[in-house]
Amino acid sequence: MSRKSFHRWAKGDWYGRPWPDTALILEHLFKVPAADLFSPAPAPASASAPEGGALSASVLVAEQWPTSRFFMGPGEAVGGWELAGRQALDGTTAAVAFRAATAAGCLAHLDAGDAGALDEFLRPARRGFLIGVDDRESPRLFVVDAAIARRERAASAGQSSSALPKAHLLDDLTYGLVWSLVQLDDGLLADDFALEQEQKVLETYLDLPRSAPSRRTVPDLTKAGAQWLGSTYCARHIMRRLDGLTDPPAFWTREQTGEQASSWLWLRHKSDYLKAVSARYAGSAPLSRAFCIPETEVSRSGRYERILLLLAITLMELHGVRVDVLTKPEYSHVDGFVLVPGQRAVVANWARTDEEIWAVDTVTRRPALREYGEALGEAREHSVMQGPDPEVRLRSMAGYLDIDWVWLVERSREMSECGTASIVRPRSRHLTAESLDEVFAFLASLAPDR
């Protein structure tokens, strides 16, 4: 392998899989599949290994989601759920308790077990989850936020079991929601005071034609906090520089993975920004937004991440934004921008910026405007999301991401019946579950198959 590859791996923050020829050599040397070599190390077997339903849950999670694991101390009824970020999120840990579950029809019944122990688990203000384990045949897990379980238990005191809708099944959809929200939520709560202080200086930056503050100016921010700050500023920068524009501009965004795109689903200001832009140009020509998502990024992403990416694109389509997805990797490093044809490009980067919180500018040079226009033209001409309406385009995108369309629509119908916040709910004031509820209602209205 090349020295460059070696140093990239040795840094410890690289993700994905090596090229096939390199993988073949590594598998020969270590006698271990390359997929295992480049996944988080499994927890060592010891006396602290979980028992019973917790063991079934641990095995299932380790097999399906390498960014997650359960762990418990010896003799303890409460364990931890470790969620690892990839590039855009820092990772976090939530408390977890397990109960036997029996799935029947549309419901899963969770046995309360030791009522006193359950109440002790649900009482603290920490983030926690109650996991129901049905291991009668192949194990199935059902998940509910501890805060929601606490409320339900208070409303049904004395009952020996609780019922969860089948939407609570822990699969790639619900895992993606939990994985992304909890990391964003914990990061924003940790940064709450710092973000309040930093907002005071945003107005000063907004008066500047260009800016790119370094991450070193706020070294204590988590990745989630830096994302929120950069995204908030870029949205305000764009809206201010579109004042007076009557014709709809064209947008290019830099998100390539579900981890990056999950901000569209959870951050409150992203939803407000998307609605404000759509309302401003309502009645004019349709808005468009282009992504560059190469096949290499798709192959590196787990199915749960690809689902998050598709949900974010769905959110844009339901607000009247036509999405084009270009797969050519040479466009991966194009700036995030808003193009006003023949006039200017408002550059606004916050996603995939390594050193800056954001990087914004207003470009009027004709060669640069021509390059941005050509990138948008490539996206329109070669988009994998071709079709006359959102349903056709979203079906095409689901095919590109290898997501079963029928399954997605059916799961969306289940989610729309119970609501996202019945499974996991935000705690930070900067987050909302409303956008996801809109997405699931929209997908539920589409035909599962033809």
Side-chain angles (χ1 to χ4, degrees):
M1 64 186 178
S2 68
R3 181 176 295 275
K4 182 178 179 182
S5 293
F6 175 81
H7 287 304
R8 187 165 63 247
W9 299 345
K11 282 182 64 179
D13 58 1
W14 187 80
Y15 69 94
R17 298 289 182 267
W19 291 106
D21 53 348
T22 309
L24 187 64
I25 296 170
L26 291 172
E27 290 177 347
H28 175 75
L29 289 172
F30 293 103
K31 312 302 181 188
V32 175
D36 293 344
L37 288 171
F38 286 86
S39 296
S46 68
S48 64
E51 299 178 356
L55 178 59
S56 300
S58 297
V59 171
L60 182 61
V61 164
E63 289 178 346
Q64 290 195 226
W65 303 294
T67 52
S68 181
R69 67 166 182 155
F70 295 134
F71 58 89
M72 300 182 72
E76 293 183 2
V78 177
W81 189 354
E82 186 178 283
L83 300 164
R86 294 180 63 198
Q87 286 190 319
L89 297 170
D90 290 307
T92 190
T93 301
V96 66
F98 302 93
R99 289 294 183 273
T102 304
C106 296
L107 298 174
H109 298 275
L110 271 63
D111 188 348
D114 184 338
L118 180 58
D119 291 336
E120 284 294 319
F121 168 74
L122 296 177
R123 184 175 296 114
R126 68 195 171 193
R127 169 75 74 177
F129 289 94
L130 190 61
I131 303 289
V133 184
D134 183 353
D135 55 3
R136 291 173 299 170
E137 296 178 6
S138 59
R140 287 191 294 171
L141 309 183
F142 298 86
V143 60
V144 62
D145 196 308
I148 300 164
R150 180 168 60 244
R151 182 187 62 199
E152 295 297 325
R153 184 156 177 77
S156 57
Q159 294 189 11
S160 60
S161 66
S162 59
L164 297 178
K166 61 181 180 180
H168 287 246
L169 177 70
L170 186 60
D171 58 4
D172 283 317
L173 175 62
T174 48
Y175 176 75
L177 299 181
V178 170
W179 177 78
S180 58
L181 172 64
V182 175
Q183 292 186 80
L184 283 169
D185 207 26
D186 284 1
L188 290 173
L189 289 173
D191 290 341
D192 191 69
F193 181 78
L195 292 176
E196 183 69 19
Q197 300 301 307
E198 291 298 326
Q199 284 189 77
K200 298 175 182 179
V201 303
L202 291 187
E203 289 296 332
T204 303
Y205 279 109
L206 284 169
D207 292 332
L208 301 175
R210 64 183 62 85
S211 61
S214 170
R215 282 291 303 270
R216 288 191 290 270
T217 61
V218 280
D220 56 327
L221 285 185
T222 65
K223 289 181 179 178
Q227 280 189 60
W228 182 90
L229 191 63
S231 176
T232 298
Y233 178 80
C234 286
R236 295 178 64 183
H237 175 84
I238 290 169
M239 293 300 291
R240 176 174 290 195
R241 281 151 183 81
L242 293 183
D243 284 345
L245 182 68
T246 56
D247 294 328
F251 295 76
W252 181 286
T253 191
R254 283 170 59 83
E255 292 90 338
Q256 292 185 327
T257 68
E259 184 183 32
Q260 297 160 4
S262 63
S263 60
W264 286 98
L265 300 171
W266 294 115
L267 295 184
R268 186 181 299 275
H269 77 267
K270 298 290 282 185
S271 173
D272 294 342
Y273 164 69
L274 189 61
K275 291 176 181 177
V277 172
S278 297
R280 177 175 291 191
Y281 300 104
S284 60
L287 290 166
S288 65
R289 183 176 290 271
F291 288 74
C292 175
I293 307 175
E295 292 183 16
T296 52
E297 289 297 335
V298 175
S299 64
R300 291 171 180 170
S301 300
R303 185 167 177 259
Y304 65 96
E305 258 202 283
R306 302 196 300 273
I307 291 170
L308 290 173
L309 186 57
L310 182 57
L311 295 179
I313 290 172
T314 302
L315 179 66
M316 296 169 188
E317 286 275 351
L318 74 86
H319 283 295
V321 180
R322 180 190 172 105
V323 176
D324 293 312
V325 176
L326 184 63
T327 65
K328 296 181 178 180
E330 56 266 33
Y331 288 88
S332 292
H333 300 293
V334 172
D335 293 320
F337 65 86
V338 184
L339 182 64
V340 183
Q343 298 183 32
R344 62 187 181 274
V346 182
V347 176
N349 293 321
W350 65 270
R352 297 193 291 121
T353 54
D354 296 329
E355 301 297 333
E356 299 85 19
I357 302 173
W358 69 73
V360 301
D361 196 359
T362 302
V363 178
T364 57
R365 302 184 308 276
R366 291 198 177 277
L369 296 183
R370 187 161 51 250
E371 289 181 4
Y372 289 140
E374 288 173 355
L376 289 168
E378 281 287 308
R380 280 192 296 270
E381 184 175 352
H382 300 289
S383 175
V384 297
M385 291 185 63
Q386 297 290 343
D389 57 65
E391 180 176 347
V392 175
R393 292 195 292 272
L394 290 170
R395 280 174 175 265
S396 300
M397 190 63 193
Y400 176 63
L401 297 175
D402 194 22
I403 297 171
D404 185 277
W405 178 258
V406 175
W407 172 86
L408 179 65
V409 171
E410 292 299 329
R411 286 292 278 137
S412 296
R413 289 176 177 174
E414 295 168 3
M415 291 295 297
S416 64
E417 289 175 2
C418 70
T420 306
S422 74
I423 297 175
V424 57
R425 70 180 188 184
R427 298 188 298 171
S428 169
R429 59 200 168 108
H430 299 306
L431 300 173
T432 179
E434 294 176 2
S435 295
L436 273 160
D437 288 339
E438 293 176 358
V439 168
F440 289 130
F442 180 75
L443 289 171
S445 70
L446 304 180
D449 204 0
R450 289 177 177 172

